[in-house]
Each structure stands twice: as C-alpha cells, then as structure tokens.
Amino acid sequence: QSVLTQPPSVSGAPGQRVTISCTGSSSNIGAGYDVHWYQQLPGTAPKLLIYGNNNRPSGVPDRFSGSKSGTSASLAITGLQAEDEADYYCQSYDSSLGGWVFGGGTKLTVL
Amino acid sequence: EVQLVESGGGLVQPGGSLRLSCAASGFIVRSNYINWVRQAPGKGLEWVSLIFSDDSTFYADSVKGRFTISRDNSRNTLYLQMNSLRSEDTAVYYCARGYNYGDYWGQGALVTVSS
C-alpha cells in the first residue's frame, strides 16, 4: 500500500488531455512538502518530469504540467502522443516516515 | 554529463548479503545527497535510504538495521550493504541524486533473493 494514492490507469486518444491525481495526507503533501513527478518508460529508470509541484526540467515538453492544492496534486498532459505511454509516479516527503514517499504509479495508455 | 551506474546485483539466498555500488561521474558525490530507491517486479517505487553530504544517513523502516549506506569519496562511489536479505527485498535497486527529488537516476541493478 503506497503512502500517496494514484489511479492505477488512465487512457486517452492522441491529441487529448489527461490528468493523473495524487492524494496524500497531513504528514506529506498536506504539510506543505512539494510534489514531484516521474515518467518511467518500459524497462527503463524513472525520469524526472516535474519538480517543485509545477516546474519542468530542461528538455521536458510544456505539454506536461503539474499543480498542487491542499493534500493533493495533479499531473496534466495535453496533446497526447504515442510516446507518452508510460508509468507515472508522484513523489513527496513524509515527515512521519522521514524519507521520500511515492504513489503506486499510474499506467497511461494512448489509445 | 551527470551519470550514475549501479553494479553488484545478482542472486542471493535468503539470509545472505550483497553490496551494491553506484559509481558517479559529472559531479562530486561527497557534496550531494544520494538516495537508493527500489522497485519490486511489477510494483511501484519504494525509497530505501539517503546519505547527506555531512555523512548523516536515513533508512526506510523496512530495511533499518539490515542495510547500510556509505560512500567512498576517493572513488566517487556510493554503496548499499544489504545483510539478512529476505525474499521481499527482491527488486531493481536505483541510486538517485537529490534531496527533495531525484534529478538523475542510474539504470538500476537487479537483486533477487531466492533459494
């Protein structure tokens, strides 16, 4: 059971917009800790996609955006492309556990 | 260019030990925060351990007392010594640089605990 809660799967057609939610609690997201997002393509290591709730590392397309409110956060992907098909993980810090916490991951399928 | 390369994975019997290495290039390990994160087959990501630049170390409850994180500054390399291994420790182990988040990750090393 992951500390942060994500939907197991989402899907969308090419060109559409999808969102992935990430729900935490008062000891992590709700305590003010930032949320970060990773993309994991099949058989590869996670890649940082969004950091500090809504910042994109160099090279990440602006089709990817993040937001945070209260004890939840969201990742939005616009203009879906076939290469976006991957697993997506949210991550924050938990003060009661003393380390990073992750969501269970969301598998994005591009129809 | 920043790179992290893990090695040392393999098959080990329950109760056994294994040491993973994470060789860094493009930055100085002793000046950075480095984490170990693992991923069981078909499962999500789980944070394992963190070492600070001042040598402070932190562990997930699931590995506390069994795993030890350390580094060799002369080799610019991070280690994870894993003792008393259990079947539930079977996973791909990644090293990742960063304190709040992992900006660079290695390719991972597979550890299989089985008799």
Side-chain angles (χ1 to χ4, degrees), chain A residues 4-7 20-24 29 35 37 71-74 90-91 103:
Chain A
L4 305 180
T5 300
Q6 297 180 234
I20 299 172
S21 61
C22 174
T23 302
I29 300 175
V35 177
W37 293 88
T71 58
S72 296
S74 287
C90 60
Q91 176 248 310

Side-chain angles (χ1 to χ4, degrees), chain B residues 25-103:
Chain B
S25 57
F27 72 99
I28 299 172
V29 164
R30 71 170 184 268
S31 302
N32 282 267
Y33 304 95
I34 311 291
N35 300 263
W36 286 98
V37 175
R38 68 184 180 183
Q39 185 171 35
K43 302 296 184 183
L45 301 169
E46 179 190 16
W47 174 79
V48 172
S49 183
L50 162 67
I51 186 166
F52 276 22
S53 54
D54 67 357
D55 287 336
S56 300
T57 58
F58 302 86
Y59 300 92
D61 287 343
S62 57
V63 306
K64 203 171 292 184
R66 301 188 299 123
F67 290 13
T68 302
I69 189 172
S70 64
R71 64 171 174 244
D72 183 336
N73 296 333
S74 66
R75 296 178 183 271
N76 212 37
T77 297
L78 187 78
Y79 301 102
L80 185 67
Q81 177 67 42
M82 303 183 293
N83 299 330
S84 303
L85 282 162
R86 308 165 181 167
S87 58
E88 55 263 36
D89 296 318
T90 294
V92 174
Y93 285 74
Y94 298 100
C95 55
R97 186 184 79 165
Y99 175 60
N100 291 310
Y101 55 86
D103 59 355

Side-chain angles (χ1 to χ4, degrees), chain A residues 4-51:
Chain A
L4 305 180
T5 300
Q6 297 180 234
S9 64
V10 297
S11 62
Q16 284 191 330
R17 177 181 187 268
V18 296
T19 61
I20 299 172
S21 61
C22 174
T23 302
S25 67
S26 58
S27 61
N28 42 69
I29 300 175
Y33 295 107
D34 287 343
V35 177
H36 321 286
W37 293 88
Y38 302 91
Q39 177 191 60
Q40 187 175 35
L41 298 169
T44 69
K47 169 194 165 187
L48 181 65
L49 197 64
I50 297 287
Y51 67 93

